[in-house]
Amino acid sequence: MTLTAPAPEATKTSEIIETDAVVIGAGPCGLFAVFELGLLDIKAHVVDILDRPGGQCAELYPEKPIYDVPALPIVTGQELTQRLMEQIKPFSPKFHFSEQINTLSREADGRFRLTTDAGTEFLTKVVIIAAGGGSFTPKRPPLAGIEDYEGKSVFYSVRKIEQMRGKDVVIVGGGDSALDWTLNLAPVARSLTLVHRRDEFRAAPHSVEKMRKLVEEASIRLLIGQVAALEGANGELSAVQVKTANGVESVPCTAMLPFFGLTMKLGPVADWGLNLHENLIHVDTERFETSEKGIFAIGDINWYPGKLKLILSGFHEAALMAQAAHRVVYPDKKLMFQYTTSSSSLQKKLGVK
């Protein structure tokens, strides 16, 4: 079977990265997979379309309490993410945020070649798909002609802060992404205007506090209203029209960043030739391997009889997946099962003193 998908229009950003494993998705299951792989000396790179770890858990309900994670009677999505990031520190995984895997193909030596929409290329022995319900797709604002500006002066994520230097930036939204980028881009933008439909924000309180301080210092502007129209030509914005309680104001803008939330789609994974069940990836329950040897799927994106979409189920799947992945990465090395509570070698890997 040939695994492939249409090649993206992207520019190579670096040489090909060779690694043991590529984990697609930085949600709880993907992060715990890094831990289980690390215990078995499998080095991993992690790719996520979002600009931070946590996936759906941290992006859609960062402060919503979760009650069914073992040993944690109550934990928020953000706190769980932070704890997992702390847990995987000893293994020094490499993260590639704001990137989506677009193509996947098998090489003659059995490894997989993956490319992202940012031009990053990997050669890896195993692939672990931990993409939750699929890839997150930014919601497009309902503005006439916005498609003509996308990728040129309208962006749904920021890959390099320097690309915003000296621009008149308009950020639209009131969540964590909108506030975080407001704070990060304020020092480099020529001007920055934050637009939100109401004077209440869903972002972390300390971020809101910092934003309001910048407004007081006249370092940035805050407009309560909605972007009603775009001004510009040939994909380059010159201004946006913002409808406020006092009327319509034309705001200088050469880069607009709308953060209107996300929708989930299976995305390019659907084109990789894997067996699917109702838009989910069918796996076995011994290895959590897909129909293609060396490609595994864990968490909400997989399906098998009796499947429960729970974080704790995904953690169990990650543990068994790692055992199977070891056989692919180290085919000539015998795997001896060990417990972290009693194995001095595992404790050494974890930095236990």
Side-chain angles (χ1 to χ4, degrees):
M1 178 184 296
T2 300
L3 299 171
T4 187
E9 294 182 2
T11 302
K12 281 190 177 182
T13 57
S14 62
E15 295 182 355
I16 296 176
I17 298 169
E18 297 190 36
T19 183
D20 296 329
V22 169
V23 178
I24 303 173
C29 294
L31 296 178
F32 191 66
V34 171
F35 177 80
E36 290 294 326
L37 293 168
L39 289 177
L40 303 181
D41 297 319
I42 299 174
K43 300 184 183 303
H45 282 249
V46 184
V47 180
D48 199 294
I49 195 171
L50 298 179
D51 60 3
R52 69 192 79 196
Q56 176 182 349
C57 186
E59 187 70 18
L60 300 187
Y61 42 88
E63 297 183 1
K64 182 179 179 180
I66 303 169
Y67 301 100
D68 59 357
V69 176
L72 298 174
I74 179 173
V75 65
T76 65
Q78 187 58 47
E79 182 185 358
L80 180 61
T81 299
Q82 291 170 348
R83 286 173 177 260
L84 287 164
M85 290 293 287
E86 183 68 26
Q87 189 176 32
I88 65 177
K89 269 186 179 180
F91 305 117
S92 304
K94 305 299 182 185
F95 288 90
H96 305 265
F97 293 121
S98 298
E99 295 190 44
Q100 176 177 271
I101 298 291
N102 272 2
T103 69
L104 182 153
S105 60
R106 191 185 286 275
E107 298 291 290
D109 63 2
R111 290 185 295 174
F112 298 98
R113 180 185 294 268
L114 299 89
T115 61
T116 76
D117 58 353
T120 307
E121 288 192 76
F122 302 94
L123 272 179
T124 182
K125 296 175 182 177
V126 295
V127 176
I128 297 93
I129 305 172
S135 62
F136 286 97
T137 302
K139 292 181 180 177
R140 175 183 286 159
L143 295 170
I146 191 170
E147 298 91 340
D148 297 336
Y149 297 96
E150 290 174 341
K152 296 180 180 179
S153 52
V154 172
F155 308 95
Y156 298 102
S157 64
V158 180
R159 292 206 171 98
K160 293 183 179 180
I161 289 179
E162 280 301 309
Q163 291 179 342
M164 297 293 136
R165 183 172 296 278
K167 293 184 179 292
D168 294 313
V169 177
V170 172
I171 295 178
V172 190
D176 283 308
S177 293
L179 270 291
D180 286 351
W181 283 115
T182 294
L183 300 178
N184 286 324
L185 296 180
V188 302
R190 178 168 57 187
S191 69
L192 191 147
T193 303
L194 174 63
V195 179
H196 189 42
R197 65 184 185 278
R198 54 193 177 122
D199 198 15
E200 295 178 7
F201 298 86
R202 295 171 284 106
H206 69 274
S207 296
V208 177
E209 183 180 344
K210 289 181 180 178
M211 177 273 293
R212 292 196 186 281
K213 185 176 181 181
L214 290 176
V215 173
E216 290 176 4
E217 296 171 350
S219 298
I220 66 171
R221 293 186 68 198
L222 170 62
L223 285 180
I224 306 304
Q226 292 181 302
V227 176
L230 307 176
E231 300 177 18
N234 301 319
E236 301 295 338
L237 284 173
S238 58
V240 296
Q241 295 179 19
V242 180
K243 186 177 181 180
T244 69
N246 299 320
V248 177
E249 178 179 345
S250 180
V251 179
C253 175
T254 54
M256 186 174 80
L257 304 174
F259 295 107
F260 280 25
L262 304 160
T263 57
M264 286 189 294
K265 297 180 180 179
L266 192 56
V269 175
D271 300 319
W272 292 350
L274 306 176
N275 285 352
L276 300 179
H277 173 86
E278 296 180 354
N279 222 31
L280 297 173
I281 302 172
H282 193 178
V283 296
D284 65 73
T285 54
E286 178 186 356
R287 302 178 301 276
F288 293 93
E289 197 166 29
T290 68
S291 56
E292 191 70 23
K293 183 176 175 57
I295 302 180
F296 303 84
I298 62 174
D300 285 359
I301 201 165
N302 75 12
W303 179 87
Y304 50 87
K307 167 73 179 185
L308 291 177
K309 290 190 175 184
L310 295 173
I311 293 173
L312 63 91
S313 298
F315 289 167
H316 159 76
E317 295 164 11
L320 292 185
M321 173 278 300
Q323 299 287 310
H326 184 275
R327 301 185 194 108
V328 179
V329 176
Y330 300 111
D332 301 322
K333 185 176 179 181
K334 185 177 180 180
L335 176 61
M336 182 178 296
F337 182 74
Q338 302 177 78
Y339 296 99
T340 57
T341 53
S342 57
S343 169
S344 59
S345 63
L346 291 184
Q347 291 175 6
K348 184 177 180 181
K349 294 174 186 177
L350 295 172
V352 176
K353 297 181 180 179

